[in-house]
Amino acid sequence: MITVEEAKKLIKENTLSLTPVILSLNKASEHILAADIYSNFDIPAFRQSSMDGYAIKFEDKEAELILVGEMAAGTQQSITLKKGQASRIFTGAPLPKGADTVVMQEKIIRTGNNIKVQDERLSFGINVRAKGSEIKSGELAMNKGTLLSPAAIGFLAGIGITEVEVYPMPKISIILTGNELQKPGLPLNFGQVYESNSYSLSAALQKEGIVDIEILTAEDNLQTLTKVIESALKNSDVVLLNGGVSVGDYDFVIKAANACGIEQIFHKVKQKPGKPLFFGKKGNQLIFGLPGNPSSVLSCFYNYVLPAIKMLSKKEHNLIEINAELTHSYKKPAGLTHFLKGQYSNGKATPLNAQESYRLSSFAVANCLICLNQEQEDFEIGENVNILLIPN
């Protein structure tokens, strides 16, 4: 067995980012840019009014001005202002030629076709968006490595970008093992349990923006599991096996992985829950053998699988680890790192009830995992411990 720190280090050393792809902008949200983007245009491409009002020559601000036409957003026609003239203008519209300032419509007095400016604070160029004030042609618009947030997507669309080079989200296969599993909604027969791991893992993956998720099932026999793993490896960047990673008579994951040519990086970690965790790879494909118990699955997912997935897609590991004070004492044997389901608030972490690895009720309300180090046995009230905040 290896330590938690050693397991995380091995995963990091054996995980390479995926090859960048070209995506249309409307499908690139939450991806990481794989190349710098430069603007092909001045944005705005013309001098533009920032509000509804009247376009004037600033030098005419004291004069009574004659209105000559109007400029609406989207107009293809141009007006040229002469001395003593003004034009009605609307937000987003191009300025008439000769105009340099826009007066708010509330700051004029209009009599028929004439206007008089009533704005003591009027300054040259006010309420005018200069050509290229957002970005100039040839200028760097966005750096490689930027997360494409909704605002970033909108900005790129606003400068005319239609597709981007990004690191793709990984394709994930979830393989469920165990003859005892029954699909929720069907009758629960003697000896069966409702399968929940595919639901929790799929939800966690979708929260990361991953939608290419395949759910596969395998009976508890070596030949079937080997075929299912081989099938998953044809299309997936990451394979998540659920159950069958221990040493029981019906635990075939290790043998099936070997039969599929998967290189074992490690098997078993000094931790609770999730001690039987398996990690291997085939080429650049990652294979995780997760324990079958629901809490063990999620604990291993947040500690090991999610960081690896973020490395594949070049995302920063945004799981937050901080120190917090324990609100209750806790005793455990030395030799294993313990991950306790907990509630974090105002600098304090409270271990929840129902810590057993088969129980999800406490995980359902937990917002952190309390990480108790391997060798320490007794943890006192008020003691500082490391916690991992669960993405909300």
Side-chain angles (χ1 to χ4, degrees), residues 48 53 72-73 88 120 124 192 271 313 356:
Q48 188 181 64
R88 184 78 166 103
E120 295 178 354
F124 177 84
Q192 291 183 320
Q271 64 183 16
S313 55
E356 296 91 342

Side-chain angles (χ1 to χ4, degrees), residues 13 30 50 57 62 121-122 174 177 189 212 242 264 283 288 303 309 344 348 382 387-388:
E13 291 173 348
E30 296 305 306
S50 65
K57 293 174 178 285
E62 304 294 341
R121 297 184 179 181
L122 189 70
I174 299 172
T177 68
N189 299 318
D212 198 339
N242 282 249
Q264 177 176 314
F288 289 90
N303 276 289
I309 285 173
Y344 170 75
K348 299 187 177 186
I387 69 168
L388 177 67

Side-chain angles (χ1 to χ4, degrees), residues 19 21 54 113 161 210 325:
T19 302
V21 297
Y54 293 85
N113 205 40
I161 300 297
I210 298 170
E325 290 184 14

Side-chain angles (χ1 to χ4, degrees), residues 62-367:
E62 304 294 341
E64 186 171 0
L65 305 175
I66 300 172
L67 288 176
V68 288
E70 68 176 31
M71 299 293 285
T75 184
Q76 306 265 324
Q77 297 180 341
S78 179
I79 295 174
T80 300
L81 292 189
K82 297 178 181 178
K83 185 174 179 59
Q85 293 181 333
S87 172
R88 184 78 166 103
I89 196 167
F90 297 92
T91 304
L95 256 66
K97 294 177 181 178
D100 52 36
T101 302
V102 173
V103 184
M104 295 173 60
Q105 60 187 18
E106 296 88 354
K107 297 293 185 178
I108 66 100
I109 296 175
R110 180 169 179 174
T111 306
N113 205 40
N114 294 339
I115 65 167
K116 182 75 175 171
V117 176
Q118 298 288 309
D119 188 354
E120 295 178 354
R121 297 184 179 181
L122 189 70
S123 58
F124 177 84
I126 196 169
N127 304 322
V128 175
R129 301 166 183 161
K131 180 181 179 181
S133 56
E134 172 73 286
I135 193 168
K136 291 179 169 53
S137 179
E139 194 170 279
L140 178 65
M142 199 165 288
N143 288 301
K144 174 182 176 179
T146 300
L147 173 68
L148 292 177
S149 65
I153 293 287
F155 170 65
L156 292 179
I159 65 171
I161 300 297
T162 59
E163 60 183 23
V164 287
E165 184 177 2
V166 297
Y167 294 97
M169 301 292 188
K171 299 176 182 178
I172 312 287
S173 284
I174 299 172
I175 300 177
L176 306 171
T177 68
N179 295 337
E180 75 279 11
L181 300 179
Q182 176 64 296
K183 184 176 180 180
L186 297 178
L188 195 63
N189 299 318
F190 180 74
Q192 291 183 320
V193 296
Y194 283 126
E195 187 277 310
S196 64
N197 289 339
S198 69
Y199 290 84
S200 58
L201 286 173
S202 294
L205 291 168
Q206 288 165 7
K207 194 172 186 62
E208 290 300 309
I210 298 170
V211 295
D212 198 339
I213 304 168
E214 180 183 35
I215 311 294
L216 302 168
T217 58
E219 296 176 354
D220 283 333
N221 70 72
L222 179 58
Q223 184 177 8
T224 299
L225 181 56
T226 301
K227 288 182 179 179
V228 173
I229 295 175
E230 288 175 342
S231 175
L233 288 171
K234 292 178 182 178
N235 302 306
S236 300
D237 301 302
V238 180
V239 176
L240 304 180
L241 289 131
N242 282 249
V245 291
S246 194
V247 292
D249 292 344
Y250 294 94
D251 294 322
F252 299 110
V253 164
I254 307 303
K255 291 179 180 178
N258 290 335
C260 292
I262 294 169
E263 176 190 356
Q264 177 176 314
I265 306 301
F266 66 76
H267 179 214
K268 296 185 180 179
V269 180
K270 294 177 181 179
Q271 64 183 16
K272 181 180 180 180
K275 185 167 68 173
L277 178 67
F278 169 90
F279 173 65
K281 67 176 187 176
K282 187 172 184 179
N284 291 332
Q285 294 171 293
L286 306 182
I287 298 88
F288 289 90
L290 306 174
N293 281 319
S295 282
S296 299
V297 167
L298 282 180
S299 181
C300 288
F301 176 84
Y302 288 122
N303 276 289
Y304 304 105
V305 179
L306 185 54
I309 285 173
K310 288 182 176 295
M311 282 185 268
L312 288 172
S313 55
K314 275 286 189 179
K315 287 188 174 182
E316 291 295 328
H317 180 9
N318 67 352
L319 292 176
I320 300 172
E321 294 187 42
I322 58 175
N323 287 325
E325 290 184 14
L326 271 180
T327 60
H328 295 71
S329 61
Y330 194 85
K331 185 176 180 64
K332 73 172 187 62
L336 296 177
T337 297
H338 280 215
F339 297 109
L340 305 181
K341 295 160 278 190
Q343 271 285 344
Y344 170 75
S345 178
N346 297 322
K348 299 187 177 186
T350 301
L352 299 173
N353 294 323
Q355 289 292 338
E356 296 91 342
S357 61
Y358 75 95
R359 301 182 70 175
L360 266 185
S361 56
S362 51
F363 224 133
V365 295
N367 65 6

